[in-house]
Amino acid sequence: MKVKYSHSEGNFPFAKGDYVTVVVRYLYVKGLEDELYYHGTVTEIDEQGFRCVLDDDKTKEEYFSFFDVENVIDGDRIPFFAGTTKRIKGKD
């Protein structure tokens, strides 16, 4: 599905049950301390956004509006420079 992210348009190829990395802030920040991304499992999708159960608190769901995030990528990836790199578990 084609969606409008905060800074661009892109695809959202994920479905319920997929493990994703939600990139809230990365490319447009000035310092490393401002980077923000989450890892979680998609539980619900609508035209404006999606819900995830996040790794850091599996007892609740978090809603993400497409317009509030920069991108959504596979859960085994993290943002790195202008692209992504393989995630090393336990390092982020």
Side-chain angles (χ1 to χ4, degrees):
M1 147 170 78
K2 190 165 186 113
V3 299
K4 174 80 171 122
Y5 291 114
S6 63
H7 294 89
S8 64
E9 289 187 6
N11 270 340
F12 186 80
F14 304 103
K16 184 177 176 179
D18 286 347
Y19 187 65
V20 298
T21 301
V22 181
V23 183
V24 178
R25 288 190 310 267
Y26 182 75
L27 287 176
Y28 303 96
V29 299
K30 294 183 183 187
L32 291 174
E33 64 278 353
D34 295 329
E35 292 178 4
L36 182 62
Y37 52 88
Y38 300 97
H39 302 285
T41 303
V42 176
T43 58
E44 187 179 328
I45 304 167
D46 62 38
E47 291 86 30
Q48 285 80 40
F50 59 99
R51 291 189 175 281
C52 275
V53 173
L54 301 179
D55 284 358
D56 60 349
D57 187 353
K58 297 204 184 263
T59 64
K60 62 182 179 180
E61 292 181 325
E62 184 79 28
Y63 183 79
F64 294 95
S65 167
F66 290 122
F67 192 70
D68 292 336
V69 301
E70 288 185 8
N71 202 358
V72 181
I73 56 179
D74 289 329
D76 67 340
R77 313 290 300 170
I78 58 171
F80 188 70
F81 291 110
T84 67
T85 189
K86 183 89 170 150
R87 176 181 176 206
I88 299 171
K89 301 267 183 178
K91 294 285 184 184
D92 53 30

